[in-house]
Amino acid sequence: MMYQCFIVHKNIVGFFVAAGLFLFVPTGFTQELGKEIFTQKCSACHSIGKGRLVGPDLAGVNDRRSEGWLLKFIKSPQAVINSGDPVAKALFEEFKMVMPDQALSDKQIRDILSFIKKNGISSSASTPPVALAGPVPQHEIELGRNLFQGKVRFANGGPSCTSCHHVKNDAVIGGGILARELTTVFSRMGGEGVRAILGGPPFPVMQAAYQGMPFTDDEIRALVGFLQHADQEHAYQQPRDYGWGLFGAGVGGVAVLMGFYCMIGRRRKKQSVNQDIYDRQIKSE
Ligand code: HEC
Ligand code: HEC
């Protein structure tokens, strides 16, 4: 309520008055802003005190790193890695992906950091990725694979994953190369990480592709199950199945072609030139 007044003032009285008022705004306000930005931009990949998702648990990050480092890193992780910073390089080694740049001001980042500080129950920074509880039933893996390839459509629409991603799996042929291969994504980020990404894709391209077309819980479960399966299986999968599939298709194709040529051949042999002339004459009568 009061804050809304301030915002109104900001418009009417002008920037400097508002900036003056801002100094007196209780820290709770800053935290609210921080929470909002965190939920929108960070929580798909980071938890605070609930373990690793796509990126590290951010509980206690204010104690682990200096503020200067955090401001630089959050704006552009790639730039910090490129600068040769050993901490950033180690994080990249561990998580095998670079966090996307965040277009945020210093103030917004400080708001997030103060929200993290107040809400983080410290936990170990990198618990290993968790596997799904219990084996995934075969029909779910099957559904996940079909959704991934677009053989089954998503309930709310949206493109198949193979339009951008590839997975090495016998039963999946081809796939896009726009985005990363997902064969071992499960080992890298665990069930929670993949689920978090599908719950709200943090990547602009993927986000745009599924804008307003969220996945259902069943679809997410099936896709995560399929990706876990693909990850576990890819190590000892032989191209044998795939080969037989192609071989089968080849044999089928040859059979069809041969049938086709036989028909043409039969017609040729049966109908002589004389027959043709005879037919024409019959017709013209
Ligand atoms: C797409 C997933 C993703 C998003 C979105 C994301 N991060 Fe990250 N973050 C990562 C990954 C992965 C790492 C591991 C470091 C690396 O290789 O980039 C990381 C690392 C970090 C680190 C360093 C942690 C440490 O232990 O030193 C901080 C701090 C951080 N992120 C903050 C944020 C904040 C704040 C936001 C939101 C504004 C955010 N991240 C959004 C994936 C993400
Ligand atoms: C329009 C293209 C597009 C579609 C469709 C798409 N993605 Fe993505 N996805 C991306 C992009 C871009 C990224 C960012 C990382 C990269 O460059 O690969 C990404 C990243 C991911 C990641 C994190 C990968 C990693 O290693 O960091 C996962 C998991 C993922 N997508 C799963 C899926 C699944 C499952 C589907 C199908 C439901 C899907 N995506 C559909 C474009 C797409």
Side-chain angles (χ1 to χ4, degrees), residues 265-282:
R266 263 222 322 266
R267 279 194 59 185
R268 267 214 196 117
K269 260 186 233 147
K270 247 193 188 164
Q271 291 179 314
S272 62
V273 178
N274 290 343
Q275 176 88 38
D276 268 2
I277 296 169
Y278 175 76
D279 284 349
R280 234 182 287 143
Q281 278 178 344
I282 297 280

Side-chain angles (χ1 to χ4, degrees), residues 97 161 164-165 179-180 182 188 197-198 203 206 209-210 215:
M97 78 170 271
C161 315
C164 299
H165 292 285
R180 288 177 80 142
L182 296 180
R188 274 189 290 123
I197 286 188
L198 295 178
F203 311 102
M206 200 169 143
Y210 296 104
F215 305 111

Side-chain angles (χ1 to χ4, degrees), residues 218-231:
D218 285 350
E219 287 167 350
I220 292 183
R221 210 174 42 242
L223 285 165
V224 175
F226 164 63
L227 287 173
Q228 168 166 288
H229 173 79
D231 188 344

Side-chain angles (χ1 to χ4, degrees), residues 52 54 90-98 180 188:
R52 168 182 171 150
V54 181
L91 282 169
F92 173 67
E93 292 291 311
E94 185 179 346
F95 289 87
K96 305 275 189 302
M97 78 170 271
V98 184
R180 288 177 80 142
R188 274 189 290 123

Side-chain angles (χ1 to χ4, degrees), residues 182-202:
L182 296 180
T183 316
T184 58
V185 74
F186 198 93
S187 310
R188 274 189 290 123
M189 48 184 74
E192 282 313 312
V194 178
R195 195 171 294 130
I197 286 188
L198 295 178

Side-chain angles (χ1 to χ4, degrees), residues 41-42 45-46 56 64-65 70 73 91-92 97 99-100:
K41 301 205 146 196
C42 321
C45 298
H46 293 287
R64 287 203 291 281
R65 320 284 180 223
L70 288 168
F73 183 86
L91 282 169
F92 173 67
M97 78 170 271
M99 163 177 150

